[in-house]
Amino acid sequence: MAGGPPKALLSSGPHSLRDMPHPLAVSSSEEAVGGDSTPSPDLLVARSFGDKDLILPNGGTPAGTSSPASSSSLLNRLQLDDEIDGETRDLFVTVDDPKKHVCTMETYITYRITTKSTRVEFDLPEYSVRRRYQDFDWLRSKLEESQPTHLIPPLPEKFVVKGVVDRFSEEFVETRRKALDKFLKRITDHPVLSFNEHFNVFLTAKDLNAYRKQGIALLTRVGESVKHVTGGYKLRSRPLEFAAIGEYLDTFALKLGTIDRIAQRIIKEEIEYLVELREYGPVYSTWSALEGELAEPLEGVSACIGNCSTALEELTDDMTEDFLPVLREYILYSDSMKSVLKKRDQVQAEYEAKLEAMALRKEDRPKVPADVEKCQDRVECFNADLKADMERWQNNKRQDFRQLLMGLADKNIQYYEKLTRRMVRETVLEWPILCQLSGRIAYSRRR
């Protein structure tokens, strides 16, 4: 397996943040409900409970939830999302140099994480730390806790089938390294997740043990209480755009799962065919030692079969190392998006329950209670962040699958070109001899 430097992923943000209203900015009610995004009818119900307009601008995250902490971070967000592929990128992360550690209790692999940045949040311009898989898992869980409204990129699956894949083999370690590198680059390219404090700790701390021993975040406990309160409540109506996203993800995951299963069967059959070819070729070479005039053409057939074996092995490796991991990543991606959709529905269910409770009280209040306002803010936060992340994910998906399918087509073309060139050359050189010998054999049989 080739172990070259990891390729940087192209970033594709939803829109330039210059064109998006800042969550702290003052906007008119016309701007809040105008544009292409139409508020859910359930959210508009709140207007009847007071004079205050509860509909927030659908272009950012309210303060105190997902926004970066400093003004310099906000400026960096503008730079990152406006020209992410230009000189304004200020954060670069790579995963390389896997090393095997053998201890008394366990054996594991660590990877070197190299970070270069000009952000003021970093004390040094460059960091180099070593992390194992469970550290990446810790980071992802912390991102889910602290950024519940955002789509968190998936990690490669931890467990493998025992006896089928050796998790300490060079091929498996390199495949995982590429996946972990892509995971961090997805976060680095995100205009919100890249400023998360846990991500900063992951990239800079020499030892994560002190951070990993911390208890469950308050936000997680609040989320669990929301699940308990809204567990038996059914949404009156999910907004059409989010219902469409849910249906799309179901179909997308189903189709990718089918492609993944078929691709694995093809690879299995190719491997079995490769084993037969490796046994088939040497037979002709051994046979040639027993023949006089047939020695040269038989050696040519043996060489041709060997060339076919090499080409097929390369094609199988490409599918195993490049094609299947992308399919698995996007299957896991769809699961992550479904999880965020479920959280959004839980928050909307909580909001609807509070509105119904207010209506049942039949009390004349000059303004909407603060807890109802906060709940609606959370719904709007989920809606804005989820739509932005969905658009970013769609852009990345188009780029990744375009590159993947074109690469697969090129590999297949190269495979058949190698076979054709070799077979044509052997046919041109050896065909006259084979014809002459077959003619002699037929003549001797007639006599």
Side-chain angles (χ1 to χ4, degrees), residues 11 17 39 122 125 134 144 206 213 227 361 363 396:
S11 173
L17 291 177
F122 294 90
Q134 64 184 27
E144 285 187 327
K206 288 295 182 182
K213 292 178 181 178
K227 291 181 182 179
R361 293 192 199 117
E363 297 178 2
N396 284 335

Side-chain angles (χ1 to χ4, degrees), residues 278-328:
R278 287 172 176 169
E279 295 178 359
Y280 186 53
V283 173
Y284 286 94
S285 180
T286 306
W287 184 15
S288 66
L290 304 176
E291 300 291 342
E293 298 179 85
L294 283 176
E296 186 175 353
L298 289 175
E299 284 289 352
V301 172
S302 178
C304 184
I305 295 175
N307 184 72
C308 292
S309 301
T310 302
L312 182 60
E313 183 178 13
E314 293 175 356
L315 180 64
T316 304
D317 289 343
D318 290 332
M319 288 194 65
T320 303
E321 298 169 12
D322 299 329
F323 187 74
L324 289 183
V326 175
L327 294 182
R328 293 301 307 159

